[in-house]
Amino acid sequence: MSAPPALLEVDKLHVHFRLHEGWGLGRRGVLRAVDGVGFTIAEGETLGLVGESGCGKSTLGRAVLRLVGVTAGKVRFAGNDVLKLSARRMRSFRRHMQIIFQDPFGSLNPRLTVLDIVGEAMLVHGLVRSNAAMEERVRELLDKVGLPEDALRRYPHEFSGGQRQRIAIARALALSPRFIVADEPLAALDVSIQTQIVNLLRSLQRELGLSFLFIGHDLRMIEYLADRVAVMYVGRFVELASKRELFDRPLHPYTRSLLAAVPVPDPERGRRRIVLAGDAPDPIDPPEGCRFHPRCPEVMAECMKDIPPLEEVRPGHWVACVRARDADSAV
């Protein structure tokens, strides 16, 4: 069976920030937040994106939506070259590509009611012709995300964190998008609320045929929600595979260390922890060769010379590791 056509195609994407001493870092340089990343997302698919804080996950998600400047590379959405669209065309194009931010309070305007927060974009894009039509559509969206009708006239501070995130989801759905970047939407929520939000997103995806780039730290939630998973380390992908393949047969040492840190509910089984030395390297001055080699428990001399390319070592399973050339022995 052939793979479904890609809705989103990202190729060799680079996002670099030139730093100046006045930025408070005390030095100049180029911060390589995203450094040559490529992937695709099919219609109705969820790609999970994981990695340590500061690895470039959020920057990648925002770059795909052109919310931050792109240094080099290509982003194609439904056949359109997003990076070449004029500002005017991009403004109208944004209705198809939306984002759910991490902080459900900071991303909502405290001076607006829920009606205005969710409905404003409909008026801007001309999807409704009157305030009455906007209100009716907002009521439908609130019902869809599990909020009561009386939420319509209330303000963000009157809701809990989970309810505010539901408002943010309703806002993202207001323009009937095809693709949503969910930028760590669970990070600021209690564990019990996280499950509710994940179930809501999964239900909405099935109902509306949405595609997601789901960015997160919780590998259990990623395993539940995603179809494929990409592992990012200091601006680059080190592994990309189907969910089942990656969780059952991880090939990169960094991926294995992340999975080994996930708690196991059975105390008699447990997992052998993999302790990594030190912290992730400085993205302004990354090490030569593989960026993971200073912390890798399986490092070889070859790892310190050249940056390993992301190679397909098994069908649909991509790894950036010299040891993964012999995939079976690396498991």
Side-chain angles (χ1 to χ4, degrees), residues 80-148:
N80 296 274
D81 191 334
V82 173
L83 303 182
K84 291 186 178 180
L85 294 177
S86 66
R88 183 175 181 179
R89 279 204 65 199
M90 188 64 205
R91 195 175 300 117
S92 62
F93 199 76
R94 287 192 189 282
R95 61 167 294 194
H96 305 294
M97 308 168 72
Q98 291 291 301
I99 185 169
I100 303 168
F101 293 100
Q102 176 178 343
D103 182 358
F105 190 70
S107 65
L108 303 177
N109 190 329
R111 294 185 175 89
L112 298 182
T113 64
V114 171
L115 173 61
D116 293 325
I117 288 171
V118 178
E120 183 180 33
M122 300 180 198
L123 293 175
V124 170
H125 286 267
L127 299 185
V128 291
R129 295 174 180 258
S130 66
N131 288 333
M134 179 186 78
E135 183 171 332
E136 181 61 29
R137 173 61 176 154
V138 173
R139 289 180 191 276
E140 293 174 4
L141 288 170
L142 293 185
D143 180 66
K144 195 178 292 291
V145 301
L147 286 173

Side-chain angles (χ1 to χ4, degrees), residues 183-232:
D183 186 8
E184 301 194 45
L186 311 177
L189 306 178
D190 294 337
V191 173
S192 60
I193 305 301
Q194 290 179 5
T195 303
Q196 295 176 21
I197 296 299
V198 166
N199 285 332
L200 172 61
L201 292 174
R202 194 173 188 182
S203 173
L204 290 170
Q205 181 179 39
R206 289 172 175 168
E207 179 183 348
L208 304 174
L210 296 168
S211 299
F212 282 101
L213 174 61
F214 188 91
I215 302 168
H217 285 101
D218 191 330
L219 287 167
R220 294 168 302 175
M221 293 297 184
I222 293 288
E223 184 178 15
Y224 177 68
L225 190 64
D227 299 296
R228 291 185 299 139
V229 181
V231 182
M232 195 168 186

